[in-house]
Amino acid sequence: AQSVTQLDSHVSVSEGTPVLLRCNYSSSYSPSLFWYVQHPNKGLQLLLKYTSAATLVKGINGFEAEFKKSETSFHLTKPSAHMSDAAEYFCVVTPPGGGNKLTFGTGTQLKVEL
Amino acid sequence: KAGVTQTPRYLIKTRGQQVTLSCSPISGHRSVSWYQQTPGQGLQFLFEYFSETQRNKGNFPGRFSGRQFSNSRSEMNVSTLELGDSALYLCASSRVGSEAGNTIYFGEGSWLTVV
């Protein structure tokens, strides 16, 4: 079975500083991985996805993630945090062969301070 | 292009009642899946429908059921509501749902409170 582990439940950064949200995955196959963001009282918005093409994936709003098979990681980064980035972020893995039975990490709450 | 639309957005029900939530997928999307989000359990998969057939089911009791119509719209039903069913119910849609890396889009959710 596949799983994802988000290593930090809360991350706090200052506006203008880099963001790093960590995600490790466990899978017996080559996974498809996603990052979603959820703003308060909102649904989930797709930030980016990895599907075994380029290992460095660029997403919306300046976010990017790098797939590292040797480390089984898919960390999310952004060079400079903005106040509007404050939200909860979910690392997600799909089942073998695709499909919509997604497995979510427990989420990382990102706080951005002035 | 309209996104995934869920109705109602907010509702309050009494223990023992039943509830039906509706989801209209993005035009052209044939796969619809449902998730439950709670503070304690996080995001959990309920079920997935494709072309009116349930393709996958999560580990929820039989009180949770769903269906999909020929226009790909979906409903989920929870019978004999319990306090623990209070949650945000999210619907997601995708074009096909079977290929790796298929992009899945979520609605804003239906907030259910059981009192």
Side-chain angles (χ1 to χ4, degrees), chain A residues 41-94:
Chain A
N41 301 318
K42 294 288 188 181
L44 296 164
Q45 181 184 20
L46 178 67
L47 278 178
L48 49 81
K49 68 177 183 180
Y50 166 76
T51 58
S52 76
T55 55
L56 182 62
V57 182
K58 293 189 183 298
I60 62 171
N61 300 334
F63 285 95
E64 63 181 38
E66 186 171 7
F67 176 77
K68 292 187 176 180
K69 187 175 181 179
S70 60
E71 299 176 11
T72 61
S73 69
F74 189 58
H75 300 336
L76 181 70
T77 60
K78 183 174 180 178
S80 176
H82 191 272
M83 294 296 290
S84 60
D85 295 328
E88 188 154 24
Y89 292 78
F90 293 94
C91 183
V92 180
V93 65
T94 58

Side-chain angles (χ1 to χ4, degrees), chain B residues 48-95:
Chain B
E48 177 194 0
Y49 288 88
F50 180 77
S51 292
E52 302 178 66
T53 301
Q54 188 179 86
R55 187 155 67 175
N56 271 305
K57 190 176 191 306
N59 295 323
F60 279 82
R63 300 185 297 106
F64 291 81
S65 63
R67 59 179 175 167
Q68 186 180 33
F69 302 95
S70 58
N71 62 358
S72 294
R73 191 176 70 84
S74 176
E75 289 181 347
M76 67 162 283
N77 183 277
V78 188
S79 62
T80 319
L81 284 165
E82 300 176 359
L83 296 178
D85 297 333
S86 296
L88 175 65
Y89 290 88
L90 290 162
C91 172
S93 78
S94 64
R95 190 167 295 280

Side-chain angles (χ1 to χ4, degrees), chain A residues 32 34 36 38 40-46 49-51 88 90 94-106, chain B residues 9 31 33 35 37 43 45 48 56-58 88 90 93-94 97-108 111:
Chain A
S32 292
F34 302 79
Y36 282 88
Q38 186 176 35
N41 301 318
K42 294 288 188 181
L44 296 164
Q45 181 184 20
L46 178 67
K49 68 177 183 180
Y50 166 76
T51 58
E88 188 154 24
F90 293 94
T94 58
N100 292 358
K101 187 176 180 180
L102 304 180
T103 299
F104 285 79
T106 50
Chain B
R9 291 293 319 281
S31 173
S33 48
Y35 293 81
Q37 185 177 23
L43 279 146
F45 172 81
E48 177 194 0
N56 271 305
K57 190 176 191 306
L88 175 65
L90 290 162
S93 78
S94 64
S98 60
E99 75 266 20
N102 180 51
T103 300
I104 300 158
Y105 298 90
F106 283 81
E108 300 239 315
W111 287 94

